[in-house]
Every structure is written in C-alpha cells, then in structure tokens.
C-alpha cells in the first residue's frame, strides 16, 4: 500500500513552486490537505485514492482559474494509474478540457487533448465534443469541423 499523504506531496510542492505562474488557490490547497489528512487518519486500512478523489480538486482548481494546479493533479492521476486500476486519467483529462474551456483558456483545453494522444489515450466522445464546443464558442468552425472528422475516424 502506498503512503497516502506522500501520494499528493509532489502535487502540493509543484503547486507551491516559484516556477508556477500563479499561486494555487487556498481552497484547492485546503482540500488537498484535507484529503491527505483523511487518508493518513485511516492508517494502513485505507483504500488508495481513486478518480473520484481527484476530480473535485481538478474542478475546484480550474474554477479558481488555477489551471497549472489542475494540470498537476491530472499528471498525478496518470502516474498513479500505472499501479492503481481505480484511477482513470481519461476522466481527469476530460475534466481538464472542460474546466480549461470554462476558465477561458482554449489553449489549455487543446494542450490537455493533445497530451492524451501523446500518452496513447484515445479521446472519447466527451473529449471530442467538449473541445468541438470550445472551438465553436470561439468562432473557429474550421477546427471544430476537423475535430468532428477526427472523432468519426477514431
């Protein structure tokens, strides 16, 4: 069993790093600390984190327009997925794409979509339709149509 507080240490450290474009929101740090405390309090009988533990943190970070933190959390999901079948980074990427768009960053949404492909994940209908909607909202119908064609081929 993994030591749960250590699971989140690298995310918390990345969020606090001077290279981060902006400081993480206090609510996300607080939620991350609370999650670590819950896992630590449960001791060795605890379960390992699942997708459902991570997604609220992704959404909360994105709502605070703290996309760097949201991306760090999804990166952690990818690492944990290698050894934990209960962590599904596909859902994290879908949340990140939607949250990035809602935070007004089409470029972050595109970056998350592209990173899925780099990691050999096949975007699902949610990934595609969210990004298609983002392109339409920004008036880029050509890119939206290209994504629709790509979705039909996948």
């Amino acid at each position: 069993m993994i030591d749960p507080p250590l699971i989140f240490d690298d995310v918390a450290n990345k969020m606090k790093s001077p290279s981060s474009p902006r400081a993480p929101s206090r609510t996300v740090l607080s939620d991350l600390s609370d999650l670590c405390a819950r896992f630590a309090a449960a001791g060795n009988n605890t379960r390992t984190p699942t997708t459902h533990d991570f997604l609220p943190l992704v959404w909360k970070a994105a709502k605070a327009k703290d996309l760097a933190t949201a991306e760090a959390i999804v990166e952690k999901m990818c690492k944990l997925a290698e050894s934990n079948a209960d962590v599904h980074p596909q859902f994290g990427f879908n949340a990140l794409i939607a949250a990035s768009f809602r935070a007004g960053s089409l470029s972050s949404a595109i970056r998350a979509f592209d990173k899925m492909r780099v990691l050999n994940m096949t975007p699902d209908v949610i990934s595609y339709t969210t990004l298609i909607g983002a392109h339409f909202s920004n008036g880029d119908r050509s890119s939206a149509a290209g994504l629709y064609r790509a979705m039909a081929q996948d």
Side-chain angles (χ1 to χ4, degrees):
M1 171 105 21
I2 303 168
D3 182 12
L6 296 177
I7 291 171
F8 299 99
D9 281 352
D10 60 334
V11 174
N13 289 336
K14 187 171 188 176
M15 289 165 32
K16 295 176 190 173
S17 79
S19 65
S20 187
R22 52 183 278 179
S25 68
R26 281 188 216 148
T27 57
V28 175
L29 282 175
S30 173
D31 287 354
L32 188 59
S33 296
D34 290 347
L35 186 59
C36 290
R38 271 188 297 165
F39 279 107
N44 290 334
N45 297 327
T46 187
R47 63 177 175 77
T48 57
T50 67
T51 300
H52 299 289
D53 296 312
F54 287 101
L55 292 183
L57 297 173
V58 172
W59 282 107
K60 198 167 262 193
K63 186 175 181 180
K65 296 190 185 276
D66 185 2
L67 297 176
T69 297
E71 289 171 7
I73 293 167
V74 173
E75 285 176 23
K76 187 60 176 177
M77 289 178 74
C78 291
K79 289 177 187 170
L80 284 175
E82 295 170 5
S83 61
N84 183 347
D86 293 326
V87 176
H88 305 283
Q90 174 83 32
F91 296 120
F93 278 108
N94 286 344
L96 183 57
I97 292 167
S100 296
F101 167 58
R102 288 183 186 155
S105 180
L106 178 60
S107 62
S108 291
I110 293 168
R111 188 170 51 249
F113 185 87
D114 291 343
K115 180 125 187 198
M116 287 174 66
R117 290 212 177 263
V118 167
L119 295 173
N120 293 320
M121 289 182 209
T122 303
D124 61 14
V125 69
I126 295 168
S127 312
Y128 274 108
T129 57
T130 303
L131 197 55
I132 288 169
H135 280 290
F136 265 117
S137 292
N138 281 349
D140 188 358
R141 295 189 172 160
S142 174
S143 293
L147 280 168
Y148 180 78
R149 286 189 293 278
M151 179 175 66
Q153 290 176 351
D154 274 348

